[in-house]
mmCIF file of all heavy atoms in Angstrom:
data_model
loop_
_atom_site.group_PDB
_atom_site.id
_atom_site.type_symbol
_atom_site.label_atom_id
_atom_site.label_comp_id
_atom_site.label_asym_id
_atom_site.label_seq_id
_atom_site.Cartn_x
_atom_site.Cartn_y
_atom_site.Cartn_z
ATOM 1 N N LYS A 9 -53.542 -19.126 87.150
ATOM 2 C CA LYS A 9 -54.006 -19.709 88.402
ATOM 3 C C LYS A 9 -55.069 -18.811 89.016
ATOM 4 O O LYS A 9 -54.862 -17.614 89.190
ATOM 5 C CB LYS A 9 -52.830 -19.850 89.382
ATOM 6 C CG LYS A 9 -53.226 -20.351 90.753
ATOM 7 C CD LYS A 9 -53.630 -21.820 90.726
ATOM 8 C CE LYS A 9 -54.088 -22.317 92.086
ATOM 9 N NZ LYS A 9 -54.501 -23.740 92.032
ATOM 10 N N VAL A 10 -56.203 -19.410 89.308
ATOM 11 C CA VAL A 10 -57.307 -18.666 89.916
ATOM 12 C C VAL A 10 -57.606 -19.284 91.277
ATOM 13 O O VAL A 10 -57.724 -20.509 91.386
ATOM 14 C CB VAL A 10 -58.574 -18.758 89.033
ATOM 15 C CG1 VAL A 10 -59.700 -17.922 89.629
ATOM 16 C CG2 VAL A 10 -58.278 -18.305 87.613
ATOM 17 N N PHE A 11 -57.683 -18.473 92.312
ATOM 18 C CA PHE A 11 -58.152 -18.943 93.617
ATOM 19 C C PHE A 11 -59.598 -18.497 93.776
ATOM 20 O O PHE A 11 -59.900 -17.314 93.628
ATOM 21 C CB PHE A 11 -57.315 -18.351 94.757
ATOM 22 C CG PHE A 11 -55.922 -18.916 94.834
ATOM 23 C CD1 PHE A 11 -54.828 -18.141 94.480
ATOM 24 C CD2 PHE A 11 -55.694 -20.213 95.275
ATOM 25 C CE1 PHE A 11 -53.538 -18.648 94.565
ATOM 26 C CE2 PHE A 11 -54.410 -20.733 95.357
ATOM 27 C CZ PHE A 11 -53.331 -19.947 95.003
ATOM 28 N N ARG A 12 -60.474 -19.449 94.068
ATOM 29 C CA ARG A 12 -61.891 -19.103 94.243
ATOM 30 C C ARG A 12 -62.323 -19.382 95.662
ATOM 31 O O ARG A 12 -62.055 -20.443 96.209
ATOM 32 C CB ARG A 12 -62.757 -19.957 93.322
ATOM 33 C CG ARG A 12 -62.665 -19.542 91.882
ATOM 34 C CD ARG A 12 -63.715 -20.230 91.011
ATOM 35 N NE ARG A 12 -63.506 -19.829 89.626
ATOM 36 C CZ ARG A 12 -62.635 -20.410 88.809
ATOM 37 N NH1 ARG A 12 -61.917 -21.443 89.228
ATOM 38 N NH2 ARG A 12 -62.483 -19.975 87.570
ATOM 39 N N THR A 13 -62.960 -18.427 96.274
ATOM 40 C CA THR A 13 -63.661 -18.691 97.533
ATOM 41 C C THR A 13 -65.118 -18.336 97.272
ATOM 42 O O THR A 13 -65.472 -17.913 96.168
ATOM 43 C CB THR A 13 -63.114 -17.832 98.694
ATOM 44 O OG1 THR A 13 -63.365 -16.463 98.386
ATOM 45 C CG2 THR A 13 -61.624 -18.040 98.875
ATOM 46 N N VAL A 16 -64.969 -14.307 96.628
ATOM 47 C CA VAL A 16 -64.067 -13.667 95.655
ATOM 48 C C VAL A 16 -63.333 -14.656 94.783
ATOM 49 O O VAL A 16 -63.148 -15.820 95.138
ATOM 50 C CB VAL A 16 -62.986 -12.787 96.336
ATOM 51 C CG1 VAL A 16 -63.538 -11.492 96.829
ATOM 52 C CG2 VAL A 16 -62.289 -13.569 97.427
ATOM 53 N N GLU A 17 -62.927 -14.152 93.634
ATOM 54 C CA GLU A 17 -62.101 -14.915 92.721
ATOM 55 C C GLU A 17 -60.829 -14.102 92.514
ATOM 56 O O GLU A 17 -60.902 -12.937 92.135
ATOM 57 C CB GLU A 17 -62.872 -15.059 91.407
ATOM 58 C CG GLU A 17 -62.219 -15.972 90.436
ATOM 59 C CD GLU A 17 -63.052 -16.110 89.166
ATOM 60 O OE1 GLU A 17 -64.065 -16.825 89.174
ATOM 61 O OE2 GLU A 17 -62.665 -15.467 88.174
ATOM 62 N N THR A 18 -59.692 -14.704 92.807
ATOM 63 C CA THR A 18 -58.430 -13.987 92.631
ATOM 64 C C THR A 18 -57.635 -14.617 91.506
ATOM 65 O O THR A 18 -57.362 -15.818 91.530
ATOM 66 C CB THR A 18 -57.568 -14.074 93.920
ATOM 67 O OG1 THR A 18 -58.355 -13.638 95.017
ATOM 68 C CG2 THR A 18 -56.329 -13.216 93.806
ATOM 69 N N GLN A 19 -57.267 -13.813 90.530
ATOM 70 C CA GLN A 19 -56.393 -14.315 89.469
ATOM 71 C C GLN A 19 -54.961 -14.121 89.936
ATOM 72 O O GLN A 19 -54.398 -13.035 89.808
ATOM 73 C CB GLN A 19 -56.650 -13.531 88.188
ATOM 74 C CG GLN A 19 -58.107 -13.606 87.766
ATOM 75 C CD GLN A 19 -58.259 -13.530 86.270
ATOM 76 O OE1 GLN A 19 -57.545 -12.782 85.612
ATOM 77 N NE2 GLN A 19 -59.186 -14.297 85.729
ATOM 78 N N ALA A 20 -54.417 -15.167 90.505
ATOM 79 C CA ALA A 20 -53.078 -15.044 91.107
ATOM 80 C C ALA A 20 -51.992 -15.034 90.039
ATOM 81 O O ALA A 20 -51.003 -14.312 90.165
ATOM 82 C CB ALA A 20 -52.847 -16.173 92.099
ATOM 83 N N LEU A 21 -52.161 -15.841 88.986
ATOM 84 C CA LEU A 21 -51.237 -15.785 87.849
ATOM 85 C C LEU A 21 -52.035 -15.582 86.570
ATOM 86 O O LEU A 21 -53.054 -16.246 86.342
ATOM 87 C CB LEU A 21 -50.415 -17.071 87.716
ATOM 88 C CG LEU A 21 -49.455 -17.452 88.845
ATOM 89 C CD1 LEU A 21 -48.622 -18.670 88.448
ATOM 90 C CD2 LEU A 21 -48.524 -16.305 89.242
ATOM 91 N N VAL A 36 -36.539 -14.013 92.189
ATOM 92 C CA VAL A 36 -37.867 -13.503 91.855
ATOM 93 C C VAL A 36 -38.234 -12.432 92.869
ATOM 94 O O VAL A 36 -38.244 -12.690 94.073
ATOM 95 C CB VAL A 36 -38.918 -14.635 91.912
ATOM 96 C CG1 VAL A 36 -40.305 -14.119 91.548
ATOM 97 C CG2 VAL A 36 -38.516 -15.795 91.002
ATOM 98 N N THR A 37 -38.488 -11.224 92.381
ATOM 99 C CA THR A 37 -38.916 -10.158 93.276
ATOM 100 C C THR A 37 -40.246 -9.606 92.777
ATOM 101 O O THR A 37 -40.689 -9.937 91.668
ATOM 102 C CB THR A 37 -37.881 -9.008 93.332
ATOM 103 O OG1 THR A 37 -37.648 -8.545 92.006
ATOM 104 C CG2 THR A 37 -36.568 -9.457 93.928
ATOM 105 N N GLY A 38 -40.863 -8.764 93.585
ATOM 106 C CA GLY A 38 -42.138 -8.175 93.198
ATOM 107 C C GLY A 38 -42.943 -7.863 94.446
ATOM 108 O O GLY A 38 -42.654 -8.408 95.513
ATOM 109 N N PRO A 39 -43.947 -6.993 94.311
ATOM 110 C CA PRO A 39 -44.726 -6.587 95.478
ATOM 111 C C PRO A 39 -45.445 -7.759 96.133
ATOM 112 O O PRO A 39 -45.667 -8.796 95.504
ATOM 113 C CB PRO A 39 -45.748 -5.600 94.906
ATOM 114 C CG PRO A 39 -45.441 -5.409 93.479
ATOM 115 C CD PRO A 39 -44.396 -6.378 93.074
ATOM 116 N N SER A 40 -45.815 -7.563 97.384
ATOM 117 C CA SER A 40 -46.575 -8.565 98.104
ATOM 118 C C SER A 40 -47.915 -8.793 97.399
ATOM 119 O O SER A 40 -48.552 -7.851 96.944
ATOM 120 C CB SER A 40 -46.772 -8.041 99.531
ATOM 121 O OG SER A 40 -47.601 -8.898 100.220
ATOM 122 N N GLY A 41 -48.288 -10.049 97.248
ATOM 123 C CA GLY A 41 -49.544 -10.370 96.588
ATOM 124 C C GLY A 41 -49.459 -10.445 95.075
ATOM 125 O O GLY A 41 -50.466 -10.655 94.392
ATOM 126 N N SER A 42 -48.245 -10.307 94.518
ATOM 127 C CA SER A 42 -48.123 -10.284 93.050
ATOM 128 C C SER A 42 -48.137 -11.679 92.429
ATOM 129 O O SER A 42 -48.235 -11.803 91.208
ATOM 130 C CB SER A 42 -46.849 -9.534 92.640
ATOM 131 O OG SER A 42 -45.711 -10.139 93.218
ATOM 132 N N GLY A 43 -47.994 -12.723 93.265
ATOM 133 C CA GLY A 43 -48.069 -14.080 92.715
ATOM 134 C C GLY A 43 -46.780 -14.882 92.816
ATOM 135 O O GLY A 43 -46.680 -15.978 92.258
ATOM 136 N N LYS A 44 -45.800 -14.370 93.567
ATOM 137 C CA LYS A 44 -44.488 -15.034 93.637
ATOM 138 C C LYS A 44 -44.591 -16.431 94.252
ATOM 139 O O LYS A 44 -44.065 -17.400 93.717
ATOM 140 C CB LYS A 44 -43.498 -14.172 94.444
ATOM 141 C CG LYS A 44 -43.347 -12.763 93.911
ATOM 142 C CD LYS A 44 -42.343 -11.959 94.723
ATOM 143 C CE LYS A 44 -42.717 -11.758 96.183
ATOM 144 N NZ LYS A 44 -43.952 -10.953 96.386
ATOM 145 N N THR A 45 -45.273 -16.509 95.396
ATOM 146 C CA THR A 45 -45.399 -17.808 96.067
ATOM 147 C C THR A 45 -46.238 -18.764 95.232
ATOM 148 O O THR A 45 -45.919 -19.957 95.120
ATOM 149 C CB THR A 45 -46.007 -17.617 97.479
ATOM 150 O OG1 THR A 45 -45.058 -16.902 98.273
ATOM 151 C CG2 THR A 45 -46.309 -18.949 98.150
ATOM 152 N N THR A 46 -47.296 -18.241 94.635
ATOM 153 C CA THR A 46 -48.137 -19.082 93.770
ATOM 154 C C THR A 46 -47.307 -19.674 92.637
ATOM 155 O O THR A 46 -47.363 -20.878 92.367
ATOM 156 C CB THR A 46 -49.295 -18.248 93.191
ATOM 157 O OG1 THR A 46 -50.024 -17.678 94.276
ATOM 158 C CG2 THR A 46 -50.220 -19.105 92.340
ATOM 159 N N PHE A 47 -46.490 -18.823 92.000
ATOM 160 C CA PHE A 47 -45.606 -19.306 90.931
ATOM 161 C C PHE A 47 -44.681 -20.403 91.450
ATOM 162 O O PHE A 47 -44.542 -21.468 90.841
ATOM 163 C CB PHE A 47 -44.789 -18.142 90.349
ATOM 164 C CG PHE A 47 -43.450 -18.568 89.820
ATOM 165 C CD1 PHE A 47 -43.378 -19.376 88.689
ATOM 166 C CD2 PHE A 47 -42.275 -18.207 90.464
ATOM 167 C CE1 PHE A 47 -42.143 -19.815 88.214
ATOM 168 C CE2 PHE A 47 -41.048 -18.642 90.004
ATOM 169 C CZ PHE A 47 -40.976 -19.451 88.878
ATOM 170 N N LEU A 48 -44.050 -20.143 92.619
ATOM 171 C CA LEU A 48 -43.071 -21.106 93.137
ATOM 172 C C LEU A 48 -43.739 -22.438 93.500
ATOM 173 O O LEU A 48 -43.182 -23.504 93.246
ATOM 174 C CB LEU A 48 -42.373 -20.511 94.363
ATOM 175 C CG LEU A 48 -40.975 -21.036 94.633
ATOM 176 C CD1 LEU A 48 -40.000 -20.599 93.548
ATOM 177 C CD2 LEU A 48 -40.471 -20.575 95.995
ATOM 178 N N ASN A 49 -44.934 -22.366 94.077
ATOM 179 C CA ASN A 49 -45.639 -23.594 94.449
ATOM 180 C C ASN A 49 -46.066 -24.394 93.230
ATOM 181 O O ASN A 49 -46.053 -25.627 93.259
ATOM 182 C CB ASN A 49 -46.855 -23.270 95.325
ATOM 183 C CG ASN A 49 -46.441 -22.821 96.723
ATOM 184 O OD1 ASN A 49 -45.311 -23.023 97.128
ATOM 185 N ND2 ASN A 49 -47.366 -22.208 97.447
ATOM 186 N N GLU A 55 -48.752 -27.224 93.842
ATOM 187 C CA GLU A 55 -50.030 -26.605 93.513
ATOM 188 C C GLU A 55 -50.329 -26.867 92.033
ATOM 189 O O GLU A 55 -49.414 -26.901 91.220
ATOM 190 C CB GLU A 55 -49.861 -25.110 93.749
ATOM 191 C CG GLU A 55 -51.074 -24.275 93.608
ATOM 192 C CD GLU A 55 -51.613 -23.860 94.978
ATOM 193 O OE1 GLU A 55 -50.975 -23.021 95.640
ATOM 194 O OE2 GLU A 55 -52.662 -24.405 95.343
ATOM 195 N N ASP A 166 -38.532 -19.982 98.997
ATOM 196 C CA ASP A 166 -39.489 -18.882 99.171
ATOM 197 C C ASP A 166 -39.063 -18.026 100.356
ATOM 198 O O ASP A 166 -39.198 -18.435 101.501
ATOM 199 C CB ASP A 166 -40.902 -19.433 99.394
ATOM 200 C CG ASP A 166 -41.971 -18.359 99.162
ATOM 201 O OD1 ASP A 166 -41.601 -17.194 98.920
ATOM 202 O OD2 ASP A 166 -43.171 -18.697 99.216
ATOM 203 N N GLU A 167 -38.495 -16.870 100.073
ATOM 204 C CA GLU A 167 -37.995 -15.946 101.102
ATOM 205 C C GLU A 167 -37.095 -16.677 102.104
ATOM 206 O O GLU A 167 -37.322 -16.583 103.319
ATOM 207 C CB GLU A 167 -39.173 -15.311 101.877
ATOM 208 C CG GLU A 167 -40.223 -14.667 101.008
ATOM 209 C CD GLU A 167 -39.950 -13.195 100.744
ATOM 210 O OE1 GLU A 167 -38.872 -12.701 101.132
ATOM 211 O OE2 GLU A 167 -40.804 -12.563 100.124
ATOM 212 N N VAL A 197 -37.360 -16.725 95.687
ATOM 213 C CA VAL A 197 -38.170 -15.527 95.889
ATOM 214 C C VAL A 197 -37.541 -14.739 97.027
ATOM 215 O O VAL A 197 -37.184 -15.307 98.063
ATOM 216 C CB VAL A 197 -39.618 -15.907 96.260
ATOM 217 C CG1 VAL A 197 -40.399 -14.671 96.706
ATOM 218 C CG2 VAL A 197 -40.317 -16.587 95.093
ATOM 219 N N HIS A 199 -37.287 -10.590 99.046
ATOM 220 C CA HIS A 199 -37.588 -9.159 99.138
ATOM 221 C C HIS A 199 -36.323 -8.325 99.045
ATOM 222 O O HIS A 199 -36.375 -7.119 98.892
ATOM 223 C CB HIS A 199 -38.192 -8.855 100.521
ATOM 224 C CG HIS A 199 -39.664 -8.940 100.539
ATOM 225 N ND1 HIS A 199 -40.342 -9.860 101.296
ATOM 226 C CD2 HIS A 199 -40.592 -8.226 99.892
ATOM 227 C CE1 HIS A 199 -41.628 -9.709 101.095
ATOM 228 N NE2 HIS A 199 -41.809 -8.727 100.245
ATOM 229 N N VAL A 213 -42.036 -9.761 89.220
ATOM 230 C CA VAL A 213 -43.422 -10.181 89.015
ATOM 231 C C VAL A 213 -44.352 -9.062 89.479
ATOM 232 O O VAL A 213 -44.159 -8.482 90.550
ATOM 233 C CB VAL A 213 -43.728 -11.472 89.824
ATOM 234 C CG1 VAL A 213 -45.187 -11.878 89.670
ATOM 235 C CG2 VAL A 213 -42.821 -12.603 89.386
ATOM 236 N N GLY A 216 -49.411 -10.862 88.811
ATOM 237 C CA GLY A 216 -49.536 -12.219 88.294
ATOM 238 C C GLY A 216 -48.833 -12.486 86.976
ATOM 239 O O GLY A 216 -49.100 -13.496 86.325
HETATM 240 P P1 ADP B 1 -46.794 -13.153 96.888
HETATM 241 O O1 ADP B 1 -46.075 -14.414 97.259
HETATM 242 O O2 ADP B 1 -46.187 -12.448 95.723
HETATM 243 O O3 ADP B 1 -46.965 -12.238 98.051
HETATM 244 P P2 ADP B 1 -49.068 -14.922 96.481
HETATM 245 O O4 ADP B 1 -48.656 -15.810 95.364
HETATM 246 O O5 ADP B 1 -49.006 -15.483 97.847
HETATM 247 O O6 ADP B 1 -48.264 -13.544 96.397
HETATM 248 O O7 ADP B 1 -50.566 -14.437 96.229
HETATM 249 C C1 ADP B 1 -51.036 -13.961 94.975
HETATM 250 C C2 ADP B 1 -52.511 -13.632 95.104
HETATM 251 O O8 ADP B 1 -53.260 -14.835 95.264
HETATM 252 C C3 ADP B 1 -52.867 -12.763 96.298
HETATM 253 O O9 ADP B 1 -53.899 -11.898 95.924
HETATM 254 C C4 ADP B 1 -53.312 -13.758 97.331
HETATM 255 O O10 ADP B 1 -54.222 -13.174 98.225
HETATM 256 C C5 ADP B 1 -53.990 -14.815 96.480
HETATM 257 N N1 ADP B 1 -53.892 -16.153 97.092
HETATM 258 C C6 ADP B 1 -52.750 -16.853 97.318
HETATM 259 N N2 ADP B 1 -53.013 -18.059 97.857
HETATM 260 C C7 ADP B 1 -54.370 -18.123 98.001
HETATM 261 C C8 ADP B 1 -55.274 -19.130 98.482
HETATM 262 N N3 ADP B 1 -54.827 -20.316 98.933
HETATM 263 N N4 ADP B 1 -56.603 -18.847 98.462
HETATM 264 C C9 ADP B 1 -57.067 -17.669 97.983
HETATM 265 N N5 ADP B 1 -56.271 -16.681 97.502
HETATM 266 C C10 ADP B 1 -54.936 -16.897 97.497
#
Side-chain angles (χ1 to χ4, degrees):
K9 176 71 182 179
V10 183
F11 289 109
R12 286 190 183 84
T13 64
V16 284
E17 188 178 283
T18 307
Q19 303 211 322
L21 297 186
V36 181
T37 55
S40 174
S42 58
K44 304 181 298 296
T45 293
T46 303
F47 150 68
L48 207 67
N49 288 344
E55 186 104 71
D166 197 355
E167 307 269 7
V197 170
H199 269 117
V213 177

